């Protein structure tokens, strides 16, 4: 897309104050698939899990979105909406490679870059000694350089993070939305309240009950009326709805938790297979803790049963830990306390939080022999070294190995020649 005329218009107008962009990559996972396989270009592509195994859609190409498919939709529904879609398995190593290339483009313009997820980031490009050009010119140049990687993105440019994030979704794909200083409130005023990040379906419903449909109406509402909905964050949401957002673009927030969860293609019912699944989750969390140099004191367990009932348990221990061979027995014990034997388990999750820094001290009630602790640390260090050298799948439990072998043996779906709409009415989807 040629941004020349758009840049020429804004470049002739002064920019007074901060300039913050929000870059959001367009249908990122699907775009990467189409980049790496030219046969997929121009065709409906869905990245996600198998419909027969309780999968969900990670990303859908714009061709698939025309049929109502969108992110987080059940794969079964997506398959019915767009039966001619081509399904692709995620390739996270490839996504991280391109994501880092995009973020490096941003960092070549400013040190103030804050990645929000693998496919979006904020950056402060306020004209200064680092780059004195008009922010619209810089934003257009960034989009052009991203397109040279073989993917595309959209940018919202404004003086605030709130407005820029909304703006990046305004003209997708390959859009550049510029909201000049002083026009933020006018830009936000007619937009539905759900457009603001942080206002989900429940908050939207409660706002609608107060006849608050737009961000302009939210900004004009007395704060006291909003307290039951937003609580301690009421002032923040009220200000943001009026275009007031002075938050700086920081390079990242401290990690508050490290977790891993998995939804299983069939309910787990035996204690042996559940323990094996928990062991795999704990190993993944332990490795991530060590990679980030973190030790935590609070351990959490999430269990979702076949009827979607969810139980969460947590305990705090001392001293802090990062070794799954130490905290796995605690996970198993916590699970015993909330699981009726034989009840089907749909999802399991393990997490660690309450991180500490500095020299570790032995807790008053720590009864594990020092020699045993040292042995455990030596073992996980050796396992980490093997995975560093040969990859994450170098060491797999029997259950995980059999699942991967079964997945590889699945026959891919044929690719029909003539697309046709599905047999269900389209559902509103995301526009990324």
């Amino acid at each position: 897309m040629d941004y020349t005329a758009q840049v020429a218009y804004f470049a002739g107008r002064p920019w007074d104050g901060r300039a913050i962009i929000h870059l959001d990559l367009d249908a990122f996972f699907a775009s990467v698939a189409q980049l790496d396989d030219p046969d997929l270009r121009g065709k409906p592509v869905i990245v996600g899990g198998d419909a027969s195994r309780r999968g969900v859609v990670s990303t859908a190409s714009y061709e698939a979105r025309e049929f109502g498919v969108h992110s987080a939709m059940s794969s079964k529904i997506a398959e019915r909406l767009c039966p001619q879609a081509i399904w692709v398995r995620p390739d996270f190593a490839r996504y991280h490679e391109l994501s880092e290339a995009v973020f490096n483009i941003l960092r070549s313009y400013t040190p103030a870059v804050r990645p929000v997820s693998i496919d979006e980031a904020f950056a402060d490009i306020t004209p200064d000694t680092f780059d004195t050009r008009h922010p619209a010119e810089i934003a257009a140049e960034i989009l052009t350089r991203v397109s040279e990687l073989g993917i595309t993105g959209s940018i919202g440019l404004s003086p605030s993070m709130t407005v820029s994030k909304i703006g990046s979704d305004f003209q997708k794909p390959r859009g550049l939305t510029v909201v000049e200083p002083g026009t933020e409130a006018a830009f936000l005023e007619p937009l539905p309240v759900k457009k603001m990040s942080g206002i989900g379906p429940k908050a939207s419903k409660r706002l609608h009950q107060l006849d608050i449909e737009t961000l302009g109406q939210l900004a004009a509402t007395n704060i006291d009326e909003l307290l039951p909905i937003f609580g301690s964050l009421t002032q923040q949401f009220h200000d943001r709805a009026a275009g007031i957002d002075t938050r700086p673009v920081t390079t990242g927030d401290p990690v508050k938790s490290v977790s891993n969860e998995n939804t299983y293609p069939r309910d787990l019912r035996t204690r042996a297979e559940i323990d094996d699944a928990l062991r795999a989750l704990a190993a993944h969390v332990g490795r991530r803790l060590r990679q980030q140099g973190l030790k935590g004191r609070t351990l959490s367990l999430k269990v979702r049963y076949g009827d979607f009932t969810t139980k969460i348990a947590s305990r705090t221990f001392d001293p802090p830990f990062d070794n799954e061979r130490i905290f796995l027995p605690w996970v198993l014990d916590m699970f015993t306390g909330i699981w009726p034997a034989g009840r089907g388990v749909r999802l399991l999750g393990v997490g660690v939080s309450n991180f500490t820094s500095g020299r570790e001290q032995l807790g008053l009630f720590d009864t594990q022999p020092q020699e045993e602790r040292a042995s455990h640390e030596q073992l996980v260090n050796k396992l980490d070294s093997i995975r560093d050298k040969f990859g994450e799948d170098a060491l797999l439990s029997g259950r995980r190995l059999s699942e991967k072998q079964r997945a590889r043996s699945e026959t891919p779906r044929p690719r029909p020649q003539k697309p046709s709409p599905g047999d269900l009415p389209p559902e509103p989807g995301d526009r990324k």
Side-chain angles (χ1 to χ4, degrees), residues 59-274:
T59 308
S61 68
Y62 285 95
E63 295 83 359
R65 295 178 191 202
E66 293 179 2
F67 296 91
V69 180
H70 61 82
S71 299
M73 172 182 282
S74 160
S75 295
K76 184 173 291 187
I77 294 177
E79 188 175 51
R80 293 175 65 190
L81 286 171
C82 190
Q84 71 275 18
I86 302 167
W87 291 72
V88 178
R89 294 187 178 279
D91 184 352
F92 291 102
R94 179 65 169 142
Y95 303 152
H96 280 289
E97 176 187 353
L98 279 170
S99 175
E100 192 58 26
V102 170
F103 295 160
N104 283 336
I105 289 175
L106 293 177
R107 294 184 184 107
S108 69
Y109 292 90
T110 171
V113 175
R114 179 182 179 180
V116 179
S117 66
I118 197 171
D119 61 350
E120 60 177 314
F122 289 100
D124 188 333
I125 57 169
T126 302
D128 57 15
T129 55
F130 198 81
D131 196 326
T132 59
R133 291 178 295 165
H134 194 282
E137 182 180 351
I138 298 174
E141 188 172 285
I142 289 171
L143 289 176
T144 300
R145 291 181 60 185
V146 169
S147 67
E148 292 170 354
L149 297 175
I151 55 179
T152 64
S154 298
I155 281 181
L157 164 63
S158 81
S160 80
M161 294 172 66
T162 293
V163 176
S164 294
K165 181 169 177 60
I166 293 174
S168 67
D169 191 49
F170 225 60
Q171 302 181 68
K172 275 185 166 290
R174 298 179 295 278
L176 172 58
T177 300
V178 180
V179 180
E180 296 178 286
T183 67
E184 301 95 322
F187 172 76
L188 295 175
E189 184 177 7
L191 301 181
V193 291
K194 66 180 181 180
K195 285 291 184 180
M196 180 178 290
S197 175
I199 300 182
K202 291 183 179 179
S204 294
K205 182 179 180 179
R206 296 182 68 183
L207 289 170
H208 293 165
Q209 291 171 347
L210 296 176
D211 293 327
I212 300 173
E213 305 284 342
T214 68
L215 291 173
Q217 291 172 333
L218 176 58
T221 302
N222 187 288
I223 288 181
D224 292 339
E225 295 183 56
L226 302 174
L227 281 171
I229 301 175
F230 298 115
S232 62
L233 298 177
T234 299
Q235 186 67 57
Q236 181 183 129
F237 277 100
H238 191 265
D239 287 347
R240 288 170 61 197
I244 302 170
D245 181 3
T246 59
R247 291 175 298 166
V249 177
T250 57
T251 56
D253 294 329
V255 177
K256 295 182 179 179
S257 67
V258 171
S259 62
N260 188 34
E261 65 179 43
N262 193 20
T263 299
Y264 300 96
R266 60 175 181 81
D267 287 353
L268 309 182
R269 293 189 178 277
T270 70
R271 186 61 197 252
E273 60 185 356
I274 290 171

Side-chain angles (χ1 to χ4, degrees), residues 348-363:
L348 289 170
V350 174
V352 174
S353 59
N354 191 11
F355 298 123
T356 185
S357 59
R359 186 178 183 85
E360 176 183 327
Q361 296 180 351
L362 292 179

